[in-house]
Amino acid sequence: MQDLNRQIRIKGAIYGIVLGVIILALNLISYFIMVKLNTPKWVTAFSQPLFTNVLPIVAAALICFRLRKKIGGYWTLRQASSGIFAMFLTSYLIFFFGMLLYSKVIDPAMALNIENKIESVKAAIRKDQGVSQQHIDEETKGLRKDFNERENTSVLRSVQSFGIVIVLVFLASLIFAALFKNDPPAYVAPNKKQ
């Protein structure tokens, strides 16, 4: 039993690498659609939630099914939560360091590009809604202030945010474990020869 629990965590971490790469790729696709391509504002507005929220959840669900099948099709809530926690934590680390590498080495202007695109799309949407230019300018100043606060984070705040991420990953793994658990049958009837 102990060996099975260890195997579940190891396979969860391996599948977490796959999930992390998928989530990283989806976020980069979202970035390119939002910033690099000349897309309509509604595509820009809907691509970000689709590629960064909906599709990663679908991918995580499919990989949870695959993980459960790989270990024999049955796992208790505790086994499911430990395996899924290992998967989610590994995927978060892959995603975090992948985005950090991309934004610091490959495209250092990534944050500025995203900020400018969000400001322009939000201003265009608000203008279409008939909002005054003065109100749009105030909202834009608020967005810039939020972006500046996020960029100027201290080490203590980074450690706190990592602690919050660990708690959220644990909660998400419990939710997924409750959804995908499949307890082994309590009793298997013996074969009767006729």
Side-chain angles (χ1 to χ4, degrees):
M1 187 64 151
Q2 191 71 0
D3 189 43
L4 179 63
N5 293 338
R6 185 171 179 266
Q7 179 186 2
I8 289 171
R9 287 191 296 273
I10 291 171
K11 288 198 183 294
I14 292 170
Y15 279 106
I17 294 170
V18 173
L19 181 61
V21 170
I22 290 170
I23 292 172
L24 178 63
L26 288 172
N27 276 272
L28 291 176
I29 290 169
S30 171
Y31 170 67
F32 281 105
I33 288 173
M34 188 168 69
V35 174
K36 301 291 185 180
L37 300 177
N38 191 14
T39 56
K41 60 184 171 238
W42 65 271
V43 173
T44 302
F46 287 112
S47 69
Q48 198 268 340
L50 176 69
F51 283 96
T52 61
N53 297 335
V54 176
L55 293 178
I57 291 172
V58 171
L62 293 174
I63 291 175
C64 283
F65 279 123
R66 179 77 178 156
L67 176 61
R68 185 176 73 186
K69 183 179 176 187
K70 196 72 170 175
I71 58 113
Y74 296 108
W75 57 5
T76 63
L77 180 65
R78 183 177 180 158
Q79 291 170 332
S81 60
S82 69
I84 293 172
F85 179 75
M87 181 176 74
F88 284 175
L89 185 62
T90 305
S91 68
Y92 173 75
L93 293 174
I94 295 290
F95 164 73
F96 177 78
F97 288 114
M99 286 303 286
L100 188 67
L101 176 71
Y102 185 84
S103 66
K104 298 295 182 190
V105 176
I106 298 171
D107 190 2
M110 181 181 188
L112 184 63
N113 292 338
I114 291 172
E115 179 182 345
N116 291 337
K117 187 65 173 190
I118 288 173
E119 286 175 4
S120 66
V121 168
K122 189 163 185 160
I125 290 172
R126 298 297 278 164
K127 193 172 191 176
D128 289 348
Q129 293 173 341
V131 177
S132 69
Q133 187 62 40
Q134 181 183 4
H135 192 69
I136 292 172
D137 291 340
E138 289 174 10
E139 287 180 352
T140 303
K141 286 179 187 175
L143 277 174
R144 284 189 187 139
K145 183 180 176 188
D146 288 345
F147 279 122
N148 288 336
E149 287 176 1
R150 288 182 192 167
E151 287 180 15
N152 300 327
T153 58
S154 65
V155 175
L156 178 62
R157 188 166 179 154
S158 297
V159 170
Q160 287 175 338
S161 65
F162 187 70
I164 292 170
V165 165
I166 296 292
V167 171
L168 292 176
V169 165
F170 179 72
L171 292 175
S173 66
L174 285 178
I175 291 169
F176 270 74
L179 293 173
F180 296 109
K181 77 176 177 86
N182 191 14
D183 289 321
Y187 175 74
V188 178
N191 288 337
K192 294 182 180 179
K193 295 182 179 179
Q194 294 182 358

